[in-house]
């Protein structure tokens, strides 16, 4: 039970560090005024890097416990498999979120010019209707 607590403490510590790194990268990207996609990409890459570091730390602890005979080798392998599987699932989810967010269409200069043209046409039409309604 003490080994489970030790692993949980390492997981908690590494997770907190990963969140701190992610937060700092997000803050820096916002300060730099990067595009949404660029910001998300940086956050994702930082999070992925932090997750990989966390996974390596946890795997190292599990391997050391296994080498010392404090946990069974098959139990260690199962724990490592579970941790790796969870990280891969989270990474896939993050990639899907970035792809979904990246598909948001941003107005181009041409789009804005076309809208301005329509606004000008509608304004002219409204003005002409106003002059038609004005009794003389």
């Amino acid at each position: 039970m003490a080994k489970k607590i030790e692993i949980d403490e390492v997981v908690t510590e590494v997770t907190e560090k990963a969140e701190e790194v992610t937060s700092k990268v997000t803050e820096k990207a916002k300060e730099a005024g990067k595009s949404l996609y660029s910001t998300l990409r940086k956050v994702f890459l930082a999070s992925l890097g932090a997750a990989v570091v966390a996974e390596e730390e946890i795997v190292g602890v599990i391997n050391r416990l296994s080498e010392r005979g404090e946990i069974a080798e098959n139990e260690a392998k199962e724990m490592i498999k579970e941790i790796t599987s969870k990280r891969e699932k989270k990474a896939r989810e993050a990639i899907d979120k970035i792809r979904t967010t990246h598909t948001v269409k941003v107005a181009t200069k041409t789009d804005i010019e076309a809208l301005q043209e329509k606004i000008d046409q509608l304004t002219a039409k409204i003005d002409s209707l106003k002059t038609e309604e004005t009794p003389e």
Side-chain angles (χ1 to χ4, degrees):
M1 186 65 176
K3 301 310 169 204
K4 174 86 170 137
I5 292 171
E6 181 180 324
I7 291 171
D8 289 344
E9 288 173 359
V10 171
V11 170
T12 300
E13 182 180 324
V14 173
T15 301
E16 288 171 356
K17 286 180 183 179
E19 289 171 355
E20 182 181 332
V21 168
T22 301
S23 175
K24 285 180 181 178
V25 170
T26 303
E27 188 176 300
K28 292 289 184 186
K30 284 180 183 177
E31 289 172 6
K34 300 293 181 186
S35 69
L36 176 62
Y37 178 74
S38 177
T39 301
L40 287 173
R41 185 175 182 277
K42 286 181 181 181
V43 169
F44 170 71
L45 291 174
S47 298
L48 183 60
V52 169
V53 169
E55 181 181 333
E56 289 172 356
E57 284 286 325
I58 294 167
V59 168
V61 169
I62 292 170
N63 284 333
R64 285 191 296 277
L65 291 172
S66 177
E67 287 169 4
R68 289 188 256 167
E70 296 179 28
I71 61 173
E73 187 176 330
N74 61 344
E75 184 181 356
K77 286 179 182 179
E78 191 61 36
M79 291 172 83
I80 291 170
K81 182 179 174 183
E82 182 181 335
I83 290 166
T84 303
S85 174
K86 284 181 182 179
R87 185 203 35 90
E88 288 172 353
K89 180 181 176 194
K90 292 283 185 185
R92 280 192 301 276
E93 289 171 0
I95 289 169
D96 290 343
K97 283 182 184 179
I98 290 172
R99 285 184 179 147
T100 301
T101 305
H102 183 61
T103 59
V104 174
K105 186 175 179 183
V106 178
T108 64
K109 183 178 179 182
T110 306
D111 295 334
I112 293 169
E113 288 170 350
L115 287 172
Q116 186 61 52
E117 173 86 22
K118 287 180 183 179
I119 291 169
D120 292 343
Q121 290 171 358
L122 290 172
T123 302
K125 194 170 199 168
I126 289 170
D127 289 342
S128 72
L129 290 172
K130 281 183 183 177
T131 52
E132 287 177 13
E133 291 180 6
T134 308
E136 293 182 27

